[in-house]
Every structure is written in C-alpha cells, then in structure tokens.
C-alpha cells in the first residue's frame, strides 16, 4: 500500500509538473527569452532531489540557467531538436552526489520528463523561427507593395478596396482614406 501511495504521489507530481511546463510554454504575452527562462526555473522541480538540483539550457547560442546554478559531475544532458536539427541542450545537475540509477544519478522517469521538456522546447523554437520568417516575409511583401511603380491593390471578395499602393492612388486620383472602403465598380464607372 505504501509503495502504491508513493507511486501515485510521484505520478501526481509528474502531471503537475507537465501542466506547469505546458502553461509556461503557451504564454503568448511573454517573449521567447522569458518563456525559456521560466521553463529553466521549473526544471529542477522535475527531478527526485529537487532541493539540490539546478539546470541549464543552451538554445540557439543563448544560455539560460536556473537559480543556484552550478556545474557539477552529476549531470544529465538531453539534446534539443527542432525540425531534425540540433538547436540546443538541456542539462540537469545535482549539486551533491546521489546514488547511481538508470542514467547516472537520474531515474528513467526523470529522463522521460527531460525528453518531454526538450520536445516542447524544440516545438517552441520552431514556432519562434516560423514567426520570424513570417515577419520577414510580411516586411518584404509590404516593401514590394509600397515601393512598386505599378498600381497594386487588394479587394475583398465583394469588390471593396482593402489596400492600395501609392501608384494606384496616383493613377485613380484618390487619397488612401477616400479609396479604402470604396467599391471597385465605383472607380471603374467613374473612369468612363
């Protein structure tokens, strides 16, 4: 009965930890660095001897460390992969020697939790890269649209002007404020 109670307590701790990590990773109002720093502060709580644990994440050339971080020989390292590329490493350290277990002083359950953390970090990193690429693409599009000498405009499906570049405004003789919201048919009817 005591063993089952202990096992159940360990599973509850694991589920609580996984929920906290997921909540941290889904914070939309925080920067990437703030999210990763929040994750690294939670990581020591994932291991059996959390009171003597610390952690470090090397991710895309940046280093994030938990409080009371100290590099020791009692370490578990797990690679962070994103889109099949190595982008970093999660390292968890014990500040004091612990008995040997499945992976040095770390248990198979601790390794599994570490694997879950790096998997989520890899997806977070991929999302960050995708957002950066989208932002760059939007900026390139905006620049092409704005600076083009050709008349370019966008309309809704029902023919309402949504946007127009300066060449379009010059060609039709409207200001942006006048043109946005107009029906395309109005402009072409007025040209006849």
């Amino acid at each position: 009965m005591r063993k089952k109670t202990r096992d159940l307590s360990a599973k509850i701790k694991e589920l609580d930890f996984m929920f906290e990590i997921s909540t941290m990773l889904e914070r939309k109002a925080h920067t990437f660095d703030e999210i990763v720093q929040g994750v690294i502060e939670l990581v020591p709580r994932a291991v059996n001897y959390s009171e003597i644990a610390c952690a470090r994440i090397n991710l895309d050339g940046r280093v994030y460390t938990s409080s009371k971080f100290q590099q020791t020989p009692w370490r578990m390292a797990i690679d962070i992969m994103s889109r099949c590329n190595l982008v970093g490493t999660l390292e968890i350290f014990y500040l004091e020697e612990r008995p040997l277990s499945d992976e040095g002083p770390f248990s198979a359950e601790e390794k599994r939790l570490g694997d879950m953390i790096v998997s989520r970090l890899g997806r977070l990193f991929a999302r960050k890269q995708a957002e950066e690429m989208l932002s760059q693409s939007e900026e390139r599009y905006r620049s092409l649209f704005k600076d083009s000498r050709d008349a370019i405009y966008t309309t809704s499906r029902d023919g309402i002007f949504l946007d127009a570049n300066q060449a379009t405004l010059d060609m039709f003789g409207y200001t942006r404020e006048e043109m946005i919201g107009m029906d395309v048919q109005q402009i072409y009817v007025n040209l006849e």
Side-chain angles (χ1 to χ4, degrees):
M1 183 68 157
R2 286 184 185 162
K3 183 182 180 332
K4 287 188 185 235
T5 302
R6 224 179 351 205
D7 290 346
L8 185 57
S9 292
K11 287 291 180 197
I12 290 170
K13 177 184 173 186
E14 182 179 325
L15 286 171
D16 284 344
F17 176 76
M18 288 170 56
F19 176 75
E20 284 185 79
I21 288 288
S22 292
T23 301
M24 180 64 65
L25 289 167
E26 296 305 319
R27 289 184 167 177
K28 300 289 187 215
H30 291 77
T31 67
F32 178 80
D33 288 335
E34 290 170 337
I35 293 170
V36 176
Q37 188 60 48
V39 168
I40 199 63
E41 292 298 341
L42 291 173
V43 168
R45 294 181 39 209
V47 295
N48 291 331
Y49 305 102
S50 57
E51 65 282 353
I52 59 164
C54 61
R56 172 173 60 196
I57 293 174
N58 289 297
L59 185 57
D60 195 36
R62 305 257 345 237
V63 177
Y64 307 85
T65 59
S66 65
S67 58
K68 70 180 181 180
F69 176 77
Q70 182 180 343
Q71 189 169 333
T72 69
W74 309 290
R75 163 186 177 260
M76 174 172 58
I78 307 168
D79 290 338
I80 302 171
M81 304 295 289
S82 178
R83 297 183 178 153
C84 299
N85 294 311
L86 177 65
V87 295
T89 307
L90 167 65
E91 297 172 288
I92 306 172
F93 297 89
Y94 279 133
L95 300 174
E96 300 171 8
E97 188 171 8
R98 296 287 96 194
L100 290 179
S101 190
D102 300 311
E103 183 149 329
F106 297 94
S107 68
E109 290 80 18
E110 291 167 317
K111 171 74 167 91
R112 192 167 42 83
L113 274 173
D115 288 340
M116 184 271 307
I117 294 166
V118 300
S119 172
R120 298 294 308 272
L121 285 169
R123 288 195 301 269
L124 175 71
F125 183 77
R127 186 176 75 205
K128 174 188 172 244
Q129 283 187 313
E131 289 169 355
E132 287 172 353
M133 288 170 40
L134 178 61
S135 177
Q136 291 168 358
S137 176
E138 287 173 347
E139 184 57 38
R140 280 193 306 273
Y141 165 77
R142 176 63 45 204
S143 177
L144 287 171
F145 181 84
K146 181 181 156 200
D147 299 335
S148 177
R149 293 182 193 178
D150 295 324
I152 303 172
Y153 59 87
T154 58
T155 63
S156 63
R157 288 185 178 189
D158 55 350
I160 304 300
F161 279 100
L162 301 174
D163 202 358
N165 69 353
Q166 190 60 47
T168 303
L169 300 173
D170 293 342
M171 183 172 84
F172 291 116
Y174 289 99
T175 67
R176 180 174 311 284
E177 292 75 25
E178 292 170 330
M179 190 169 221
I180 304 305
M182 285 180 76
D183 191 311
V184 169
Q185 291 178 4
Q186 285 178 290
I187 289 185
Y188 288 109
V189 167
N190 291 339
L191 288 177
E192 294 177 358

